[in-house]
Amino acid sequence: MTDVQPYVTDEANGEAWRLMLGDSCERLSELPDESIDLAVYSPPFASLYTYSPSDRDLGNASSADEFAEHYRFILNEVLRVMKPGRVIAVHCQQIATQKWRDGVVGLSDFRGDLIRAHQDAGYTFYGEVTIWKNPQAQQIVKKVAVLSFTQLERDSASSRPALGDYLLIFRKPGDNAVPVDPECTRDEWTDWAAPIWTTGQGPFDAIDAGPFGSCWFDIKETNTLNTAVAKENGDERHICPLQLDLIERVLRLWSNRGELVLSPFAGIGSEGVVAVETGRRFVGCELKPSYWQTAVRNLRAAEHRANAETLFGAS
């Protein structure tokens, strides 16, 4: 396979993090067996967004089968480096199909494809959370015609609900040797164990009890790292970093302080920033140089903040 842009590798390190520039299919092989305590990431959404012009980029797969074949290499490596019994948290959304590209306007079950791919690779599918999204915001920001009032009033048979996000929870088979001491209270767990988390903009935000009292109401869609500084000259249409509070909750639930967190799709460093700021260690891979450079800056800044807070707290 020939890249349409040169393939380069590099590496940057801090006191508590390591960020590798390069293809996860290759760079993950550098990590020791059973060395990772928690993995959290959002894989490229097949054929939905263009992240880079590289043929190595999963987001540039020409078909679902090509995506699955490519992704399997990464799944095998992630499973190898995970410690038994530990959690792999994968963020995704369903993929809208387009008439010009797919022959029909509808949905592709990307969530289901990911679940089956992980199970086929030997992961245990352990749980999932649906993350509520604001339909009006989705229509305005992403120009989704089937969510518009115009489409609703012209022909409601062609309208559909907004797409939520999903957090798919997998475990590596085996017994966990080091119990995780969760950084949450019983009351927080009562909320966090709900099957639906909202973005802090949901219709039930003001309700403190009743049937909605156990949902997550404070995952904010806009609570992400700044993406503008990572963009190049129009070679990508989208950067989609995970919400920082979502990452923090995953880390607080399924890892201990001092443990090693992995993201094979590090992007601009969101998972690493939260890991460093919450007292974890981080290792990640990123294919695109501009994203990697931004992630390095973000990680250095996060480590500086974490060290400053430690010094201030000790004084």
Side-chain angles (χ1 to χ4, degrees):
M1 182 176 289
T2 303
D3 278 342
V4 296
Q5 73 173 21
Y7 175 63
V8 295
T9 61
D10 204 340
E11 185 168 321
N13 295 271
E15 295 177 9
W17 58 271
R18 174 188 180 190
L19 190 63
M20 296 179 284
L21 172 64
D23 189 342
S24 293
C25 291
E26 299 175 2
R27 299 302 305 263
L28 287 175
S29 66
E30 301 173 30
L31 303 181
D33 293 355
E34 299 186 356
S35 59
I36 302 297
D37 299 287
L38 169 69
V40 53
Y41 56 89
S42 183
F45 298 163
S47 301
L48 180 60
Y49 299 123
T50 299
Y51 302 91
S52 78
S54 173
D55 287 340
R56 294 172 178 264
D57 194 325
L58 270 167
N60 291 331
S62 61
S63 67
D65 288 342
E66 182 180 317
F67 177 91
E69 182 180 2
H70 189 167
Y71 191 43
R72 180 62 181 260
F73 287 102
I74 295 172
L75 290 183
N76 290 342
E77 283 299 306
V78 172
L79 191 66
R80 176 186 65 80
V81 301
M82 291 299 303
K83 294 179 180 178
R86 300 308 291 266
V87 167
I88 303 94
V90 181
H91 165 268
C92 70
Q93 65 175 222
Q94 301 289 52
I95 295 178
T97 60
Q98 304 293 332
K99 192 173 184 64
W100 64 268
R101 184 186 66 204
D102 309 293
V104 64
V105 175
L107 292 178
S108 174
D109 186 20
F110 187 54
R111 166 191 161 276
D113 290 342
L114 286 177
I115 292 171
R116 288 183 285 273
H118 282 79
Q119 290 177 316
D120 290 346
Y123 295 68
T124 299
F125 181 39
Y126 198 66
E128 67 177 343
V129 175
T130 302
I131 301 170
W132 186 91
K133 304 299 283 291
N134 186 316
Q136 287 186 303
Q138 196 168 106
Q139 193 279 321
I140 292 170
V141 173
K142 298 185 178 180
K143 305 295 189 283
V144 182
V146 294
L147 288 175
S148 68
F149 293 132
T150 300
Q151 183 62 56
L152 174 72
E153 294 163 358
R154 181 170 55 207
D155 179 11
S156 64
S158 298
S159 63
R160 64 156 171 78
L163 300 182
D165 285 356
Y166 298 93
L167 185 70
L168 308 178
I169 304 162
F170 303 95
R171 294 182 74 195
K172 179 172 178 175
D175 296 327
N176 177 29
V178 180
V180 174
D181 184 12
E183 297 180 18
C184 67
T185 65
R186 288 189 175 186
D187 286 342
E188 285 177 317
W189 172 243
T190 300
D191 289 343
W192 297 1
I196 299 174
W197 304 345
T198 81
T199 58
Q201 305 170 36
F204 311 122
D205 290 357
I207 298 177
D208 294 323
F212 308 112
S214 64
C215 292
W216 285 22
F217 294 113
D218 53 354
I219 301 298
K220 299 179 177 60
E221 286 187 72
T222 56
N223 185 18
T224 63
L225 294 179
N226 179 20
T227 63
V229 293
K231 290 201 173 195
E232 295 186 324
N233 297 323
D235 64 347
E236 79 271 44
R237 296 191 299 271
H238 186 77
I239 304 177
C240 54
L242 285 181
Q243 290 84 9
L244 301 179
D245 41 354
L246 172 62
I247 300 168
E248 180 180 350
R249 195 162 298 179
V250 169
L251 267 59
R252 289 174 61 187
L253 277 175
W254 296 308
S255 70
N256 294 307
R257 288 178 177 268
E259 290 189 334
L260 186 58
V261 177
L262 167 69
S263 174
F265 309 102
I268 60 173
S270 302
E271 298 94 335
V273 165
V274 180
V276 169
E277 291 183 339
T278 58
R280 278 75 176 169
R281 296 175 295 123
F282 175 74
V283 60
C285 301
E286 174 50 43
L287 175 65
K288 186 168 183 177
S290 64
Y291 293 5
W292 179 83
Q293 291 162 4
T294 301
V296 169
R297 290 194 294 269
N298 286 334
L299 283 161
R300 285 174 176 161
E303 191 159 67
H304 178 76
R305 289 192 299 271
N307 289 338
E309 289 174 5
T310 299
L311 289 172
F312 180 79
S315 61

